[in-house]
Amino acid sequence: MHVQIVLFDGFDPLDVVAPYEVLYAGGTASDGAVTVELVSAEGPREVVGGTGGLALRATAALDPERADVVLVPGASGRVGEPGEVPEEEAGAGERRDEFVPVLLARTLTTGLPALLKRAMDDPEVTVAAVCGGSLVLAMAGLLEGRHATTHHLGLDMLDATGARAIRARVVDDGDLITGAGVTSGLDLGLYLLERGPGPRIAHAVEELFAHERRGTV
């Protein structure tokens, strides 16, 4: 099972690192049955995350033909009232952290939506998303009529796109697996291991990480 985790400008670091660590550990526990890499729509590059500006390096281009699973994270930024404008940093001339919806919407101006559509259209590829990653898919018009979840603050927005928003930690809709708030990336990663190399591997990683999954998928 080869997993490509997508990086885009403003991504939420924990949405990426939590499932990455789980899946990497799953690969170790399964003697290489799981592999994982960080990718971007543009190819190999350093990608700067949201709050704090933590950068990670995409080592390859997103290519659904090489992936069994494509995982989309959410964004990290400010959560404000509609119409609120970020203040200027005193004396710096730089904006503070941008609003999450702005960061998510900006992905629509890149090559990412077309690549995600290719992944969604391929019955051999499972598309997964953590937190606002579901909204990236939804805003690209890819989740109409599909069951999905996202961060609780974005459920109404998800529902408004035509998706069937579910308030749950992990939602399985066949070839679409979505997780709720940021730490649900751990649970989503473990669930992908359960569906892939199997429950024994998922449980081994769960024990290794001293993490107990909660809720019903």
Side-chain angles (χ1 to χ4, degrees):
M1 181 174 80
H2 183 59
V3 183
Q4 293 188 332
I5 300 179
V6 180
L7 299 180
F8 58 83
D9 296 321
F11 69 88
D12 185 291
L14 191 58
D15 287 3
V16 172
V17 174
Y20 182 94
E21 289 238 25
V22 167
L23 293 164
Y24 186 88
T28 301
S30 62
D31 295 323
V34 180
T35 54
V36 57
E37 65 179 338
L38 302 180
V39 300
S40 81
E42 298 78 20
R45 70 181 181 100
E46 186 177 82
V47 187
V48 180
T51 305
L54 177 67
L56 294 175
R57 179 159 186 80
T59 58
L62 170 58
D63 182 359
E65 293 181 2
R66 291 200 305 112
D68 299 299
V69 179
V70 172
L71 193 154
V72 187
S76 177
R78 296 182 64 196
V79 178
E81 296 299 322
E84 183 182 348
V85 178
E87 299 174 2
E88 298 289 326
E89 290 281 5
E94 297 182 356
R95 286 185 297 179
R96 297 182 189 271
D97 299 315
E98 294 184 272
F99 293 127
V100 169
V102 173
L103 293 168
L104 296 175
R106 194 171 291 153
T107 63
L108 301 182
T109 66
T110 71
L112 185 57
L115 290 168
L116 293 177
K117 185 177 188 306
R118 277 175 49 195
M120 294 285 290
D121 288 345
D122 188 337
E124 300 299 316
V125 177
T126 295
V127 175
V130 182
C131 198
S134 300
L135 294 172
V136 171
L137 294 166
M139 289 189 294
L142 301 175
L143 293 192
E144 187 168 355
R146 300 298 299 268
H147 298 86
T149 192
T150 187
H151 192 285
H152 65 90
L153 293 176
L155 285 171
D156 287 344
M157 181 178 177
L158 182 63
D159 192 64
T161 67
R164 298 182 179 181
I166 306 294
R167 184 179 287 271
R169 191 158 172 84
V170 176
V171 172
D172 182 339
D173 193 42
D175 59 359
L176 173 69
I177 312 293
T178 54
V182 284
T183 60
S184 66
L186 291 166
D187 291 23
L188 183 139
L190 289 164
Y191 186 66
L192 289 173
L193 291 180
E194 191 172 293
R195 289 206 348 166
R200 183 181 62 82
I201 299 300
H203 182 64
V205 175
E206 195 171 15
E207 282 196 316
L208 178 66
F209 281 30
H211 174 71
E212 296 181 4
R213 285 183 277 177
R214 64 182 189 269
T216 301
V217 174

